[in-house]
Amino acid sequence: MTIRCEIVSQDRTVFQGDVDFILLPGMAGEMGILPHHAPVLALLKYGVIKIRKQGTEKLFAVAGGMAEVQPDIVTILADAAENIEEIDVVRAQAAKKRAEDALAKISPEEQPDAYLNMEAALRRSNLRLDVVRRYRKIRDTYTEQDSSM
Amino acid sequence: MASAREMRLRIKSVKNISQVTRALEAVSAAKVRKAIQALTATRSYATKAWQVLSHITAQPGHISLHPLLTERTDPQNALVIVMTADRGLAGAYNTNVIRYVLKRFDKYHLPVKYITVGRKGRDLLLRLRKPVLADFSNLPSTPKFGAVSAIGRLAVDEFLKGDVDEVYLVYTDFVSMARQETTMKKLLPLVVETREGLVEDFGEHQKGPAAAYEYEPDQTDILDEMIPRFTALQVYQAVLESQASEHAARMIAMRNATDNAKELVGALQLEYNKVRQQAITNDILDIVGGAEALAQ
């Protein structure tokens, strides 16, 4: 029994496929979705979407958005989403630096829009870096387990 | 008949113009390709968004769910978002939009305010002394969602404040390279019709929602977040459609201009050759006449 999962962001389809289990970073806490889940409409916060399919896991960094859960399909409309393996750490670091520099220059009173934009950019790069750090750690522990067996 | 020198100058200037128009055509061709790409890229998100929305509205009593979905019984003011280009030289592109707006809204039964996207539309509406509430000109070509979401946000704010009761969007739909259609869309209150095509698209996976939704965190929070976003998304798509149309229209206009210039150069060249030949013939006649006179 599988459930269909589709992750789309404004500029592309990030993932689609039939999976066994989905973990969503809901506003009110993490939600695990199995096939035949009751219909839910949920807002997502910055975090990680975990998808499990026959023992393999895929992780996606998501910068907010919403998810529609139906018994046989989960549609995730992400503000921005990417597969963790595709994250470019160097670029994320550069983006973070750029955002920090810009934030130091702009005052929130004079240019509220620009300030909020930059703040969002900073949060996104922080999320990317954070997620990569955590993900890499998990992969390390996997290799340790493998060698011990 | 003009002198040979004047004609030579004329031919040269027409040739120069044709070079410029050819360059502009090439630039527009590249831009239209990029714009189409951006457009197709957002389509899957937009389709999904519509699906989710039509699911919500299929819920019993959805009219009372959210103010942005509610038709107002006694509308007082209307707001029209007009999308034109920042620059001209795009054939009838800008004129079509403006003409459509004036035809549709000049004698509208409600007072109409405008938000303009694009300098051409702004200038024209201001010249006609129409109330322009805000202007979002000089958008980058193929903008990011964040760059245009302010337009949708403004419309939503105005609507929620009660300053306007209907919001329309006038833009140019990109049908194909050769065809662009000026289109009007009602933006607010949001009308979600279950479009036939869409239902078929995902019919394989679901035949409408099985039960009422659970909302997480809660209904109002979600709809507050979601509907403005969809409104912004619609605006975003309209911007992309308009930009693709603009570049396509400009490309065609420039191609026509280049062709016309070529034709003109041909005609002028023929004329010039005649003038030149005539001058030579006259000169020879002079010389022959002179020689004849001397010989006598």
Side-chain angles (χ1 to χ4, degrees):
Chain A
M1 191 65 224
T2 56
I3 184 166
R4 180 136 186 102
C5 176
E6 295 183 355
I7 304 177
V8 289
S9 67
Q10 270 125 10
D11 49 359
R12 70 200 175 110
T13 301
V14 182
F15 173 84
Q16 60 184 37
D18 294 313
V19 301
D20 297 322
F21 171 77
I22 304 155
L23 190 72
L24 297 173
M27 276 296 182
E30 297 207 310
M31 297 164 59
I33 311 285
L34 289 164
H36 293 302
H37 196 284
V40 172
L41 208 54
L43 285 180
L44 304 181
K45 59 180 183 191
Y46 282 56
V48 178
I49 298 172
K50 192 185 280 183
I51 289 170
R52 198 175 297 148
K53 183 184 176 182
Q54 289 162 348
T56 57
E57 266 184 3
K58 272 203 171 81
L59 293 146
F60 296 87
V62 58
M66 63 191 74
E68 188 210 24
V69 179
Q70 297 273 348
D72 51 0
I73 182 167
V74 176
T75 310
I76 296 155
L77 299 169
D79 288 354
E82 58 196 316
N83 191 327
I84 285 182
E85 290 172 52
E86 289 168 10
I87 292 178
D88 185 339
V89 180
V90 180
R91 246 190 79 193
Q93 266 159 350
K96 180 181 173 172
K97 178 120 191 9
R98 216 167 36 236
E100 279 171 344
D101 290 350
L103 277 183
K105 279 188 214 123
I106 319 173
S107 77
E109 289 84 23
E110 279 164 36
Q111 296 158 280
D113 274 2
Y115 193 82
L116 286 179
N117 273 343
M118 270 302 134
E119 216 170 44
L122 180 61
R123 279 208 296 168
R124 274 199 302 276
S125 8
N126 274 340
L127 168 75
R128 285 204 187 94
L129 292 172
D130 192 40
V131 142
V132 164
R133 206 156 37 229
R134 249 192 302 168
Y135 171 67
R136 295 255 153 96
K137 214 181 280 170
I138 292 170
R139 195 166 55 179
D140 288 347
T141 49
Y142 274 171
T143 36
E144 277 165 24
Q145 279 170 354
D146 286 346
S147 56
S148 66
M149 276 194 296
Chain B
M1 197 178 277
S3 78
R5 208 181 95 84
E6 275 168 20
M7 296 210 60
R8 221 168 27 232
L9 286 176
R10 179 92 201 279
I11 290 173
K12 215 173 130 194
S13 85
V14 173
K15 271 188 182 157
N16 278 341
I17 291 172
S18 83
Q19 252 167 15
V20 172
T21 54
R22 192 171 312 136
L24 273 174
E25 184 195 331
V27 169
S28 299
K31 279 190 178 164
V32 84
R33 218 170 306 132
K34 246 179 85 185
I36 292 173
Q37 232 170 36
L39 196 57
T40 36
T42 54
R43 246 177 215 153
S44 68
Y45 185 94
T47 325
K48 293 277 167 250
W50 266 106
Q51 284 175 13
V52 173
L53 252 195
S54 57
H55 286 174
I56 300 178
T57 43
Q59 306 259 303
H62 78 267
I63 293 294
S64 59
L65 276 185
H66 198 273
L68 289 176
L69 295 172
T70 317
E71 198 80 38
R72 299 205 173 143
T73 44
D74 181 26
Q76 301 292 325
N77 290 291
L79 178 69
V80 180
I81 303 178
V82 182
M83 294 195 178
T84 55
D86 284 330
R87 262 167 287 182
L89 292 183
Y93 174 78
N94 291 312
T95 331
N96 282 344
V97 175
I98 294 295
R99 195 185 301 142
Y100 185 95
V101 168
L102 292 180
K103 202 178 102 197
R104 189 75 179 62
F105 291 105
D106 208 21
K107 303 212 162 44
Y108 200 58
H109 63 277
L110 302 174
V112 181
K113 281 184 270 186
Y114 296 91
I115 293 180
T116 56
V117 181
R119 278 210 331 257
K120 287 284 160 184
R122 177 194 67 190
D123 294 351
L124 252 158
L125 287 174
L126 284 179
R127 203 172 310 147
L128 294 169
R129 301 188 185 286
K130 303 285 178 205
V132 176
L133 196 67
D135 167 58
F136 293 88
S137 293
N138 297 325
L139 286 178
S141 109
T142 60
K144 289 253 186 299
F145 181 71
V148 296
S149 59
I151 305 170
R153 212 158 49 219
L154 179 66
V156 169
D157 286 349
E158 288 294 313
F159 185 82
L160 285 179
K161 264 195 294 177
D163 285 358
V164 297
D165 307 298
E166 295 171 349
V167 182
Y168 296 94
L169 190 61
V170 178
Y171 66 104
T172 311
D173 199 24
F174 181 83
V175 184
S176 69
M177 286 302 277
R179 227 178 91 206
Q180 297 92 36
E181 275 174 9
T182 311
T183 316
M184 191 188 74
K185 209 181 217 175
K186 188 169 189 181
L187 204 57
L188 292 170
L190 197 58
V191 191
V192 191
E193 294 147 31
T194 331
R195 288 186 293 178
E196 297 286 325
L198 269 183
V199 177
E200 275 165 33
D201 274 354
F202 59 95
E204 159 199 357
H205 268 290
Q206 60 223 110
K207 317 254 182 299
Y213 280 107
E214 275 173 41
Y215 293 87
E216 155 99 45
D218 72 55
Q219 205 184 50
T220 28
D221 279 357
I222 287 191
L223 290 174
D224 275 354
E225 183 76 17
M226 203 157 146
I227 295 171
R229 201 175 302 189
F230 284 136
T231 310
L233 182 72
Q234 274 183 297
V235 175
Y236 181 56
Q237 274 215 307
V239 168
L240 291 179
E241 293 269 1
S242 291
Q243 285 196 346
S245 303
E246 175 197 338
H247 295 312
R250 181 167 297 127
M251 199 183 106
I252 303 288
M254 287 302 115
R255 179 176 299 161
N256 289 340
T258 312
D259 290 350
N260 287 344
K262 258 189 220 145
E263 215 169 283
L264 192 58
V265 166
L268 283 173
Q269 190 72 51
L270 198 66
E271 193 84 344
Y272 169 73
N273 288 347
K274 271 189 204 157
V275 171
R276 196 182 60 120
Q277 196 55 55
Q278 190 65 53
I280 293 171
T281 311
N282 286 344
D283 284 354
I284 291 175
L285 277 180
D286 272 0
I287 294 169
V288 172
E292 202 96 326
L294 279 180
Q296 278 173 2

